[in-house]
Amino acid sequence: MKVEIWSDVMCPFCYIGKRRFEDALQQFAHKDDVEIEWKSFQLNPDMVTAPGVSINQYLADAKGWTLDYARQMNNHVTEMAAEVGLHYNMDRAVVANSFKAHQFTHLAKKHGLGDAAEEQLFKAYFTDGRNVDDTETLAELGTEIGLDAAELKELLAINAFADDVKHDIAEASYLGIRGVPFFVMNGKYAVSGAQAVPVFTETLEKAYSEVKPSSEIMNGPVCGPDGDC
């Protein structure tokens, strides 16, 4: 069974959703039959990478929030992340366009390392405060999961996987996906957002057992293209 996951590196609910899905998968009797494919989605394609700007300030400026309210929102998702064992350091998060990071994931997918790449990117962004739009940083992350740094730098330099990223985004638009994370299981069922573990467990069971396609969508917390989370 195939599970396709649309996600963006800077989406706090995507990392939380990844953990909840993984918890559900561990409880799934047919977990060894599940193939996971990560798909690209950009919450803000026009974002300009700005390492010197805090994510709180960026959100305040972009949304017209006060800086205090932006901190409150990030504290809320930090608490949610802690519930699934993740440690968010939002004060260290680097404002960065995610297009290059998505290309990194596509290269990793070619080597069967898509899931490992996503984990590296999420941790780098939310926990370690690293710039995921920086080629040297991505080369280091790639080396840690077994990718060749020289090949990675060369392919990123020529945007070798740009079309793959754009294809994923176009497919998301065609499917009506307006927020991430978004999980499509075996082309039968969709889960929108960082749902509770039992929702993922139930949907995995349904998708595995039923043959007929379904348009049923289970909804949960998402980040939308306007940056609302």
Side-chain angles (χ1 to χ4, degrees), residues 2-38:
K2 188 172 187 178
V3 178
E4 298 164 289
I5 310 172
W6 274 266
S7 170
D8 197 4
V9 179
M10 64 186 63
C11 165
F13 290 130
C14 290
Y15 201 6
I16 294 168
K18 182 177 188 291
R19 279 293 182 274
R20 290 179 177 173
F21 172 74
E22 289 168 345
D23 285 347
L25 191 61
Q26 286 304 308
Q27 302 172 32
F28 184 51
H30 307 285
K31 63 183 178 182
D32 293 336
D33 297 329
V34 177
E35 173 192 355
I36 298 171
E37 181 178 4
W38 288 89

PDB file of all heavy atoms in Angstrom, residues 2-38:
ATOM      1  N   LYS A   2       0.483   2.224  -0.795  1.00  0.00           N
ATOM      2  CA  LYS A   2       1.259   3.448  -0.897  1.00  0.00           C
ATOM      3  C   LYS A   2       0.604   4.583  -0.126  1.00  0.00           C
ATOM      4  O   LYS A   2      -0.595   4.795  -0.221  1.00  0.00           O
ATOM      5  CB  LYS A   2       1.417   3.858  -2.367  1.00  0.00           C
ATOM      6  CG  LYS A   2       2.377   5.007  -2.587  1.00  0.00           C
ATOM      7  CD  LYS A   2       2.610   5.217  -4.075  1.00  0.00           C
ATOM      8  CE  LYS A   2       3.691   6.251  -4.318  1.00  0.00           C
ATOM      9  NZ  LYS A   2       3.961   6.426  -5.757  1.00  0.00           N
ATOM     10  N   VAL A   3       1.426   5.320   0.623  1.00  0.00           N
ATOM     11  CA  VAL A   3       0.966   6.513   1.325  1.00  0.00           C
ATOM     12  C   VAL A   3       1.770   7.697   0.804  1.00  0.00           C
ATOM     13  O   VAL A   3       3.000   7.723   0.920  1.00  0.00           O
ATOM     14  CB  VAL A   3       1.151   6.394   2.852  1.00  0.00           C
ATOM     15  CG1 VAL A   3       0.706   7.684   3.537  1.00  0.00           C
ATOM     16  CG2 VAL A   3       0.374   5.206   3.401  1.00  0.00           C
ATOM     17  N   GLU A   4       1.068   8.648   0.193  1.00  0.00           N
ATOM     18  CA  GLU A   4       1.712   9.861  -0.307  1.00  0.00           C
ATOM     19  C   GLU A   4       1.453  10.984   0.697  1.00  0.00           C
ATOM     20  O   GLU A   4       0.327  11.171   1.156  1.00  0.00           O
ATOM     21  CB  GLU A   4       1.147  10.240  -1.670  1.00  0.00           C
ATOM     22  CG  GLU A   4       1.383   9.176  -2.733  1.00  0.00           C
ATOM     23  CD  GLU A   4       0.508   9.386  -3.945  1.00  0.00           C
ATOM     24  OE1 GLU A   4      -0.717   9.172  -3.834  1.00  0.00           O
ATOM     25  OE2 GLU A   4       1.047   9.777  -5.001  1.00  0.00           O
ATOM     26  N   ILE A   5       2.516  11.725   1.019  1.00  0.00           N
ATOM     27  CA  ILE A   5       2.405  12.783   2.036  1.00  0.00           C
ATOM     28  C   ILE A   5       2.895  14.103   1.460  1.00  0.00           C
ATOM     29  O   ILE A   5       4.082  14.259   1.163  1.00  0.00           O
ATOM     30  CB  ILE A   5       3.229  12.442   3.297  1.00  0.00           C
ATOM     31  CG1 ILE A   5       2.922  11.030   3.804  1.00  0.00           C
ATOM     32  CG2 ILE A   5       2.951  13.482   4.390  1.00  0.00           C
ATOM     33  CD1 ILE A   5       3.833  10.568   4.931  1.00  0.00           C
ATOM     34  N   TRP A   6       1.960  15.042   1.304  1.00  0.00           N
ATOM     35  CA  TRP A   6       2.351  16.391   0.895  1.00  0.00           C
ATOM     36  C   TRP A   6       2.720  17.187   2.141  1.00  0.00           C
ATOM     37  O   TRP A   6       1.998  17.158   3.137  1.00  0.00           O
ATOM     38  CB  TRP A   6       1.207  17.075   0.153  1.00  0.00           C
ATOM     39  CG  TRP A   6       1.184  16.774  -1.319  1.00  0.00           C
ATOM     40  CD1 TRP A   6       1.751  17.516  -2.327  1.00  0.00           C
ATOM     41  CD2 TRP A   6       0.584  15.636  -1.960  1.00  0.00           C
ATOM     42  NE1 TRP A   6       1.529  16.912  -3.541  1.00  0.00           N
ATOM     43  CE2 TRP A   6       0.817  15.763  -3.348  1.00  0.00           C
ATOM     44  CE3 TRP A   6      -0.129  14.533  -1.488  1.00  0.00           C
ATOM     45  CZ2 TRP A   6       0.362  14.829  -4.268  1.00  0.00           C
ATOM     46  CZ3 TRP A   6      -0.580  13.594  -2.399  1.00  0.00           C
ATOM     47  CH2 TRP A   6      -0.327  13.742  -3.774  1.00  0.00           C
ATOM     48  N   SER A   7       3.841  17.899   2.058  1.00  0.00           N
ATOM     49  CA  SER A   7       4.373  18.547   3.251  1.00  0.00           C
ATOM     50  C   SER A   7       5.274  19.707   2.860  1.00  0.00           C
ATOM     51  O   SER A   7       5.773  19.774   1.730  1.00  0.00           O
ATOM     52  CB  SER A   7       5.168  17.512   4.051  1.00  0.00           C
ATOM     53  OG  SER A   7       5.907  18.098   5.085  1.00  0.00           O
ATOM     54  N   ASP A   8       5.489  20.628   3.797  1.00  0.00           N
ATOM     55  CA  ASP A   8       6.487  21.674   3.620  1.00  0.00           C
ATOM     56  C   ASP A   8       7.390  21.691   4.842  1.00  0.00           C
ATOM     57  O   ASP A   8       6.919  21.483   5.973  1.00  0.00           O
ATOM     58  CB  ASP A   8       5.826  23.049   3.429  1.00  0.00           C
ATOM     59  CG  ASP A   8       6.773  24.088   2.835  1.00  0.00           C
ATOM     60  OD1 ASP A   8       7.912  23.726   2.495  1.00  0.00           O
ATOM     61  OD2 ASP A   8       6.367  25.256   2.700  1.00  0.00           O
ATOM     62  N   VAL A   9       8.655  21.951   4.610  1.00  0.00           N
ATOM     63  CA  VAL A   9       9.664  21.890   5.669  1.00  0.00           C
ATOM     64  C   VAL A   9       9.315  22.814   6.841  1.00  0.00           C
ATOM     65  O   VAL A   9       9.537  22.480   7.997  1.00  0.00           O
ATOM     66  CB  VAL A   9      11.051  22.277   5.106  1.00  0.00           C
ATOM     67  CG1 VAL A   9      12.101  22.235   6.205  1.00  0.00           C
ATOM     68  CG2 VAL A   9      11.425  21.358   3.962  1.00  0.00           C
ATOM     69  N   MET A  10       8.781  23.994   6.531  1.00  0.00           N
ATOM     70  CA  MET A  10       8.545  24.996   7.566  1.00  0.00           C
ATOM     71  C   MET A  10       7.183  24.879   8.226  1.00  0.00           C
ATOM     72  O   MET A  10       6.806  25.712   9.052  1.00  0.00           O
ATOM     73  CB  MET A  10       8.693  26.394   6.974  1.00  0.00           C
ATOM     74  CG  MET A  10       7.666  26.717   5.922  1.00  0.00           C
ATOM     75  SD  MET A  10       7.977  28.311   5.132  1.00  0.00           S
ATOM     76  CE  MET A  10       9.566  27.997   4.370  1.00  0.00           C
ATOM     77  N   CYS A  11       6.433  23.854   7.904  1.00  0.00           N
ATOM     78  CA  CYS A  11       5.108  23.649   8.476  1.00  0.00           C
ATOM     79  C   CYS A  11       5.219  22.909   9.811  1.00  0.00           C
ATOM     80  O   CYS A  11       5.580  21.727   9.830  1.00  0.00           O
ATOM     81  CB  CYS A  11       4.240  22.855   7.505  1.00  0.00           C
ATOM     82  SG  CYS A  11       2.751  22.166   8.238  1.00  0.00           S
ATOM     83  N   PRO A  12       4.915  23.564  10.915  1.00  0.00           N
ATOM     84  CA  PRO A  12       5.063  22.908  12.224  1.00  0.00           C
ATOM     85  C   PRO A  12       4.158  21.701  12.396  1.00  0.00           C
ATOM     86  O   PRO A  12       4.527  20.734  13.070  1.00  0.00           O
ATOM     87  CB  PRO A  12       4.722  24.018  13.222  1.00  0.00           C
ATOM     88  CG  PRO A  12       3.892  24.994  12.453  1.00  0.00           C
ATOM     89  CD  PRO A  12       4.430  24.962  11.060  1.00  0.00           C
ATOM     90  N   PHE A  13       2.970  21.746  11.782  1.00  0.00           N
ATOM     91  CA  PHE A  13       2.057  20.612  11.899  1.00  0.00           C
ATOM     92  C   PHE A  13       2.539  19.408  11.098  1.00  0.00           C
ATOM     93  O   PHE A  13       2.155  18.271  11.383  1.00  0.00           O
ATOM     94  CB  PHE A  13       0.649  20.999  11.440  1.00  0.00           C
ATOM     95  CG  PHE A  13      -0.050  21.958  12.369  1.00  0.00           C
ATOM     96  CD1 PHE A  13      -0.638  23.111  11.886  1.00  0.00           C
ATOM     97  CD2 PHE A  13      -0.113  21.705  13.731  1.00  0.00           C
ATOM     98  CE1 PHE A  13      -1.286  24.000  12.737  1.00  0.00           C
ATOM     99  CE2 PHE A  13      -0.759  22.581  14.596  1.00  0.00           C
ATOM    100  CZ  PHE A  13      -1.349  23.738  14.096  1.00  0.00           C
ATOM    101  N   CYS A  14       3.392  19.650  10.088  1.00  0.00           N
ATOM    102  CA  CYS A  14       3.868  18.541   9.259  1.00  0.00           C
ATOM    103  C   CYS A  14       4.789  17.598  10.033  1.00  0.00           C
ATOM    104  O   CYS A  14       4.709  16.377   9.895  1.00  0.00           O
ATOM    105  CB  CYS A  14       4.572  19.084   8.016  1.00  0.00           C
ATOM    106  SG  CYS A  14       3.459  19.875   6.830  1.00  0.00           S
ATOM    107  N   TYR A  15       5.665  18.173  10.850  1.00  0.00           N
ATOM    108  CA  TYR A  15       6.559  17.350  11.665  1.00  0.00           C
ATOM    109  C   TYR A  15       5.758  16.615  12.737  1.00  0.00           C
ATOM    110  O   TYR A  15       5.971  15.425  12.994  1.00  0.00           O
ATOM    111  CB  TYR A  15       7.621  18.243  12.306  1.00  0.00           C
ATOM    112  CG  TYR A  15       8.888  17.540  12.753  1.00  0.00           C
ATOM    113  CD1 TYR A  15       9.139  16.196  12.483  1.00  0.00           C
ATOM    114  CD2 TYR A  15       9.880  18.255  13.434  1.00  0.00           C
ATOM    115  CE1 TYR A  15      10.313  15.586  12.882  1.00  0.00           C
ATOM    116  CE2 TYR A  15      11.061  17.654  13.850  1.00  0.00           C
ATOM    117  CZ  TYR A  15      11.281  16.328  13.577  1.00  0.00           C
ATOM    118  OH  TYR A  15      12.451  15.727  13.970  1.00  0.00           O
ATOM    119  N   ILE A  16       4.799  17.313  13.336  1.00  0.00           N
ATOM    120  CA  ILE A  16       3.928  16.689  14.335  1.00  0.00           C
ATOM    121  C   ILE A  16       3.107  15.582  13.684  1.00  0.00           C
ATOM    122  O   ILE A  16       2.977  14.473  14.227  1.00  0.00           O
ATOM    123  CB  ILE A  16       3.003  17.750  14.969  1.00  0.00           C
ATOM    124  CG1 ILE A  16       3.829  18.760  15.772  1.00  0.00           C
ATOM    125  CG2 ILE A  16       1.954  17.091  15.870  1.00  0.00           C
ATOM    126  CD1 ILE A  16       3.069  19.995  16.203  1.00  0.00           C
ATOM    127  N   GLY A  17       2.569  15.867  12.504  1.00  0.00           N
ATOM    128  CA  GLY A  17       1.791  14.858  11.783  1.00  0.00           C
ATOM    129  C   GLY A  17       2.625  13.651  11.407  1.00  0.00           C
ATOM    130  O   GLY A  17       2.143  12.516  11.418  1.00  0.00           O
ATOM    131  N   LYS A  18       3.884  13.880  11.078  1.00  0.00           N
ATOM    132  CA  LYS A  18       4.795  12.777  10.746  1.00  0.00           C
ATOM    133  C   LYS A  18       4.927  11.835  11.935  1.00  0.00           C
ATOM    134  O   LYS A  18       4.862  10.610  11.787  1.00  0.00           O
ATOM    135  CB  LYS A  18       6.162  13.330  10.340  1.00  0.00           C
ATOM    136  CG  LYS A  18       7.182  12.274   9.914  1.00  0.00           C
ATOM    137  CD  LYS A  18       8.485  12.958   9.465  1.00  0.00           C
ATOM    138  CE  LYS A  18       9.458  11.964   8.853  1.00  0.00           C
ATOM    139  NZ  LYS A  18      10.030  10.998   9.791  1.00  0.00           N
ATOM    140  N   ARG A  19       5.110  12.406  13.121  1.00  0.00           N
ATOM    141  CA  ARG A  19       5.259  11.576  14.313  1.00  0.00           C
ATOM    142  C   ARG A  19       3.978  10.801  14.628  1.00  0.00           C
ATOM    143  O   ARG A  19       4.017   9.613  14.982  1.00  0.00           O
ATOM    144  CB  ARG A  19       5.634  12.441  15.512  1.00  0.00           C
ATOM    145  CG  ARG A  19       7.091  12.788  15.579  1.00  0.00           C
ATOM    146  CD  ARG A  19       7.958  11.546  15.853  1.00  0.00           C
ATOM    147  NE  ARG A  19       9.355  11.911  15.954  1.00  0.00           N
ATOM    148  CZ  ARG A  19      10.190  12.013  14.927  1.00  0.00           C
ATOM    149  NH1 ARG A  19       9.754  11.727  13.699  1.00  0.00           N
ATOM    150  NH2 ARG A  19      11.445  12.352  15.101  1.00  0.00           N
ATOM    151  N   ARG A  20       2.847  11.464  14.512  1.00  0.00           N
ATOM    152  CA  ARG A  20       1.579  10.786  14.803  1.00  0.00           C
ATOM    153  C   ARG A  20       1.317   9.666  13.792  1.00  0.00           C
ATOM    154  O   ARG A  20       0.855   8.581  14.164  1.00  0.00           O
ATOM    155  CB  ARG A  20       0.438  11.796  14.815  1.00  0.00           C
ATOM    156  CG  ARG A  20       0.490  12.747  16.004  1.00  0.00           C
ATOM    157  CD  ARG A  20      -0.637  13.758  15.967  1.00  0.00           C
ATOM    158  NE  ARG A  20      -0.615  14.631  17.151  1.00  0.00           N
ATOM    159  CZ  ARG A  20      -1.401  15.682  17.311  1.00  0.00           C
ATOM    160  NH1 ARG A  20      -2.288  16.007  16.366  1.00  0.00           N
ATOM    161  NH2 ARG A  20      -1.321  16.419  18.400  1.00  0.00           N
ATOM    162  N   PHE A  21       1.622   9.933  12.526  1.00  0.00           N
ATOM    163  CA  PHE A  21       1.459   8.908  11.507  1.00  0.00           C
ATOM    164  C   PHE A  21       2.395   7.730  11.778  1.00  0.00           C
ATOM    165  O   PHE A  21       2.003   6.565  11.654  1.00  0.00           O
ATOM    166  CB  PHE A  21       1.727   9.481  10.115  1.00  0.00           C
ATOM    167  CG  PHE A  21       1.767   8.439   9.034  1.00  0.00           C
ATOM    168  CD1 PHE A  21       0.595   7.840   8.592  1.00  0.00           C
ATOM    169  CD2 PHE A  21       2.978   8.046   8.469  1.00  0.00           C
ATOM    170  CE1 PHE A  21       0.627   6.856   7.604  1.00  0.00           C
ATOM    171  CE2 PHE A  21       3.017   7.076   7.480  1.00  0.00           C
ATOM    172  CZ  PHE A  21       1.843   6.476   7.053  1.00  0.00           C
ATOM    173  N   GLU A  22       3.625   8.020  12.157  1.00  0.00           N
ATOM    174  CA  GLU A  22       4.589   6.960  12.458  1.00  0.00           C
ATOM    175  C   GLU A  22       4.120   6.112  13.634  1.00  0.00           C
ATOM    176  O   GLU A  22       4.291   4.873  13.624  1.00  0.00           O
ATOM    177  CB  GLU A  22       5.955   7.571  12.749  1.00  0.00           C
ATOM    178  CG  GLU A  22       6.643   8.140  11.522  1.00  0.00           C
ATOM    179  CD  GLU A  22       7.861   8.994  11.846  1.00  0.00           C
ATOM    180  OE1 GLU A  22       8.027   9.389  13.027  1.00  0.00           O
ATOM    181  OE2 GLU A  22       8.638   9.271  10.923  1.00  0.00           O
ATOM    182  N   ASP A  23       3.533   6.761  14.638  1.00  0.00           N
ATOM    183  CA  ASP A  23       3.002   6.014  15.778  1.00  0.00           C
ATOM    184  C   ASP A  23       1.893   5.070  15.321  1.00  0.00           C
ATOM    185  O   ASP A  23       1.824   3.907  15.753  1.00  0.00           O
ATOM    186  CB  ASP A  23       2.450   6.971  16.840  1.00  0.00           C
ATOM    187  CG  ASP A  23       3.553   7.667  17.622  1.00  0.00           C
ATOM    188  OD1 ASP A  23       4.721   7.231  17.505  1.00  0.00           O
ATOM    189  OD2 ASP A  23       3.260   8.636  18.346  1.00  0.00           O
ATOM    190  N   ALA A  24       1.030   5.580  14.453  1.00  0.00           N
ATOM    191  CA  ALA A  24      -0.067   4.753  13.937  1.00  0.00           C
ATOM    192  C   ALA A  24       0.476   3.602  13.096  1.00  0.00           C
ATOM    193  O   ALA A  24      -0.014   2.465  13.181  1.00  0.00           O
ATOM    194  CB  ALA A  24      -1.016   5.610  13.105  1.00  0.00           C
ATOM    195  N   LEU A  25       1.490   3.893  12.304  1.00  0.00           N
ATOM    196  CA  LEU A  25       2.065   2.868  11.433  1.00  0.00           C
ATOM    197  C   LEU A  25       2.675   1.733  12.237  1.00  0.00           C
ATOM    198  O   LEU A  25       2.588   0.556  11.840  1.00  0.00           O
ATOM    199  CB  LEU A  25       3.120   3.506  10.532  1.00  0.00           C
ATOM    200  CG  LEU A  25       3.647   2.657   9.369  1.00  0.00           C
ATOM    201  CD1 LEU A  25       2.511   2.285   8.415  1.00  0.00           C
ATOM    202  CD2 LEU A  25       4.741   3.410   8.619  1.00  0.00           C
ATOM    203  N   GLN A  26       3.266   2.059  13.371  1.00  0.00           N
ATOM    204  CA  GLN A  26       3.850   1.021  14.214  1.00  0.00           C
ATOM    205  C   GLN A  26       2.787   0.063  14.762  1.00  0.00           C
ATOM    206  O   GLN A  26       3.074  -1.096  15.055  1.00  0.00           O
ATOM    207  CB  GLN A  26       4.626   1.660  15.375  1.00  0.00           C
ATOM    208  CG  GLN A  26       5.938   2.283  14.971  1.00  0.00           C
ATOM    209  CD  GLN A  26       6.861   1.302  14.272  1.00  0.00           C
ATOM    210  OE1 GLN A  26       7.133   0.210  14.782  1.00  0.00           O
ATOM    211  NE2 GLN A  26       7.349   1.685  13.102  1.00  0.00           N
ATOM    212  N   GLN A  27       1.560   0.563  14.877  1.00  0.00           N
ATOM    213  CA  GLN A  27       0.458  -0.264  15.378  1.00  0.00           C
ATOM    214  C   GLN A  27      -0.269  -1.002  14.260  1.00  0.00           C
ATOM    215  O   GLN A  27      -1.137  -1.831  14.536  1.00  0.00           O
ATOM    216  CB  GLN A  27      -0.542   0.625  16.123  1.00  0.00           C
ATOM    217  CG  GLN A  27       0.043   1.401  17.285  1.00  0.00           C
ATOM    218  CD  GLN A  27      -0.931   2.411  17.860  1.00  0.00           C
ATOM    219  OE1 GLN A  27      -2.139   2.201  17.846  1.00  0.00           O
ATOM    220  NE2 GLN A  27      -0.417   3.527  18.370  1.00  0.00           N
ATOM    221  N   PHE A  28       0.082  -0.698  13.028  1.00  0.00           N
ATOM    222  CA  PHE A  28      -0.604  -1.253  11.864  1.00  0.00           C
ATOM    223  C   PHE A  28      -0.033  -2.628  11.533  1.00  0.00           C
ATOM    224  O   PHE A  28       1.170  -2.794  11.336  1.00  0.00           O
ATOM    225  CB  PHE A  28      -0.431  -0.303  10.682  1.00  0.00           C
ATOM    226  CG  PHE A  28      -1.172  -0.692   9.441  1.00  0.00           C
ATOM    227  CD1 PHE A  28      -2.525  -0.994   9.467  1.00  0.00           C
ATOM    228  CD2 PHE A  28      -0.514  -0.724   8.222  1.00  0.00           C
ATOM    229  CE1 PHE A  28      -3.203  -1.346   8.312  1.00  0.00           C
ATOM    230  CE2 PHE A  28      -1.178  -1.062   7.058  1.00  0.00           C
ATOM    231  CZ  PHE A  28      -2.530  -1.376   7.104  1.00  0.00           C
ATOM    232  N   ALA A  29      -0.897  -3.604  11.477  1.00  0.00           N
ATOM    233  CA  ALA A  29      -0.458  -4.989  11.283  1.00  0.00           C
ATOM    234  C   ALA A  29       0.276  -5.211   9.964  1.00  0.00           C
ATOM    235  O   ALA A  29       1.114  -6.109   9.853  1.00  0.00           O
ATOM    236  CB  ALA A  29      -1.664  -5.923  11.364  1.00  0.00           C
ATOM    237  N   HIS A  30      -0.020  -4.383   8.968  1.00  0.00           N
ATOM    238  CA  HIS A  30       0.575  -4.565   7.635  1.00  0.00           C
ATOM    239  C   HIS A  30       1.606  -3.477   7.330  1.00  0.00           C
ATOM    240  O   HIS A  30       1.801  -3.114   6.165  1.00  0.00           O
ATOM    241  CB  HIS A  30      -0.528  -4.547   6.584  1.00  0.00           C
ATOM    242  CG  HIS A  30      -1.640  -5.512   6.859  1.00  0.00           C
ATOM    243  ND1 HIS A  30      -1.514  -6.880   6.666  1.00  0.00           N
ATOM    244  CD2 HIS A  30      -2.899  -5.309   7.341  1.00  0.00           C
ATOM    245  CE1 HIS A  30      -2.648  -7.476   7.004  1.00  0.00           C
ATOM    246  NE2 HIS A  30      -3.499  -6.549   7.414  1.00  0.00           N
ATOM    247  N   LYS A  31       2.260  -2.970   8.364  1.00  0.00           N
ATOM    248  CA  LYS A  31       3.190  -1.855   8.184  1.00  0.00           C
ATOM    249  C   LYS A  31       4.318  -2.170   7.199  1.00  0.00           C
ATOM    250  O   LYS A  31       4.817  -1.272   6.510  1.00  0.00           O
ATOM    251  CB  LYS A  31       3.771  -1.426   9.522  1.00  0.00           C
ATOM    252  CG  LYS A  31       4.601  -2.500  10.220  1.00  0.00           C
ATOM    253  CD  LYS A  31       5.091  -2.008  11.589  1.00  0.00           C
ATOM    254  CE  LYS A  31       5.882  -3.086  12.305  1.00  0.00           C
ATOM    255  NZ  LYS A  31       6.334  -2.651  13.650  1.00  0.00           N
ATOM    256  N   ASP A  32       4.715  -3.442   7.107  1.00  0.00           N
ATOM    257  CA  ASP A  32       5.796  -3.811   6.199  1.00  0.00           C
ATOM    258  C   ASP A  32       5.362  -3.736   4.737  1.00  0.00           C
ATOM    259  O   ASP A  32       6.212  -3.797   3.832  1.00  0.00           O
ATOM    260  CB  ASP A  32       6.305  -5.226   6.516  1.00  0.00           C
ATOM    261  CG  ASP A  32       7.003  -5.297   7.867  1.00  0.00           C
ATOM    262  OD1 ASP A  32       7.492  -4.251   8.327  1.00  0.00           O
ATOM    263  OD2 ASP A  32       7.055  -6.396   8.459  1.00  0.00           O
ATOM    264  N   ASP A  33       4.064  -3.622   4.510  1.00  0.00           N
ATOM    265  CA  ASP A  33       3.542  -3.521   3.147  1.00  0.00           C
ATOM    266  C   ASP A  33       3.321  -2.072   2.721  1.00  0.00           C
ATOM    267  O   ASP A  33       2.813  -1.824   1.620  1.00  0.00           O
ATOM    268  CB  ASP A  33       2.204  -4.275   3.029  1.00  0.00           C
ATOM    269  CG  ASP A  33       2.348  -5.769   3.278  1.00  0.00           C
ATOM    270  OD1 ASP A  33       3.425  -6.309   2.960  1.00  0.00           O
ATOM    271  OD2 ASP A  33       1.394  -6.379   3.784  1.00  0.00           O
ATOM    272  N   VAL A  34       3.678  -1.142   3.580  1.00  0.00           N
ATOM    273  CA  VAL A  34       3.403   0.275   3.303  1.00  0.00           C
ATOM    274  C   VAL A  34       4.632   0.956   2.702  1.00  0.00           C
ATOM    275  O   VAL A  34       5.731   0.904   3.250  1.00  0.00           O
ATOM    276  CB  VAL A  34       2.982   1.013   4.594  1.00  0.00           C
ATOM    277  CG1 VAL A  34       2.781   2.499   4.304  1.00  0.00           C
ATOM    278  CG2 VAL A  34       1.696   0.406   5.151  1.00  0.00           C
ATOM    279  N   GLU A  35       4.398   1.606   1.561  1.00  0.00           N
ATOM    280  CA  GLU A  35       5.427   2.428   0.915  1.00  0.00           C
ATOM    281  C   GLU A  35       5.065   3.894   1.129  1.00  0.00           C
ATOM    282  O   GLU A  35       3.946   4.303   0.865  1.00  0.00           O
ATOM    283  CB  GLU A  35       5.479   2.137  -0.587  1.00  0.00           C
ATOM    284  CG  GLU A  35       6.394   3.074  -1.364  1.00  0.00           C
ATOM    285  CD  GLU A  35       6.211   2.970  -2.880  1.00  0.00           C
ATOM    286  OE1 GLU A  35       5.434   2.099  -3.323  1.00  0.00           O
ATOM    287  OE2 GLU A  35       6.832   3.786  -3.595  1.00  0.00           O
ATOM    288  N   ILE A  36       6.022   4.672   1.629  1.00  0.00           N
ATOM    289  CA  ILE A  36       5.774   6.087   1.908  1.00  0.00           C
ATOM    290  C   ILE A  36       6.497   6.952   0.882  1.00  0.00           C
ATOM    291  O   ILE A  36       7.693   6.762   0.620  1.00  0.00           O
ATOM    292  CB  ILE A  36       6.252   6.461   3.318  1.00  0.00           C
ATOM    293  CG1 ILE A  36       5.482   5.665   4.374  1.00  0.00           C
ATOM    294  CG2 ILE A  36       6.085   7.965   3.567  1.00  0.00           C
ATOM    295  CD1 ILE A  36       6.022   5.804   5.775  1.00  0.00           C
ATOM    296  N   GLU A  37       5.764   7.882   0.295  1.00  0.00           N
ATOM    297  CA  GLU A  37       6.369   8.825  -0.649  1.00  0.00           C
ATOM    298  C   GLU A  37       6.055  10.251  -0.216  1.00  0.00           C
ATOM    299  O   GLU A  37       4.896  10.630  -0.096  1.00  0.00           O
ATOM    300  CB  GLU A  37       5.866   8.605  -2.075  1.00  0.00           C
ATOM    301  CG  GLU A  37       6.511   9.576  -3.065  1.00  0.00           C
ATOM    302  CD  GLU A  37       6.079   9.366  -4.501  1.00  0.00           C
ATOM    303  OE1 GLU A  37       5.209   8.509  -4.737  1.00  0.00           O
ATOM    304  OE2 GLU A  37       6.601  10.073  -5.381  1.00  0.00           O
ATOM    305  N   TRP A  38       7.108  11.033   0.016  1.00  0.00           N
ATOM    306  CA  TRP A  38       6.945  12.422   0.395  1.00  0.00           C
ATOM    307  C   TRP A  38       6.810  13.296  -0.849  1.00  0.00           C
ATOM    308  O   TRP A  38       7.540  13.129  -1.808  1.00  0.00           O
ATOM    309  CB  TRP A  38       8.128  12.894   1.240  1.00  0.00           C
ATOM    310  CG  TRP A  38       8.096  12.306   2.616  1.00  0.00           C
ATOM    311  CD1 TRP A  38       8.656  11.115   3.009  1.00  0.00           C
ATOM    312  CD2 TRP A  38       7.444  12.841   3.765  1.00  0.00           C
ATOM    313  NE1 TRP A  38       8.394  10.885   4.339  1.00  0.00           N
ATOM    314  CE2 TRP A  38       7.651  11.931   4.821  1.00  0.00           C
ATOM    315  CE3 TRP A  38       6.715  13.998   4.005  1.00  0.00           C
ATOM    316  CZ2 TRP A  38       7.160  12.146   6.102  1.00  0.00           C
ATOM    317  CZ3 TRP A  38       6.214  14.225   5.281  1.00  0.00           C
ATOM    318  CH2 TRP A  38       6.439  13.311   6.303  1.00  0.00           C
TER     319      TRP A  38
END
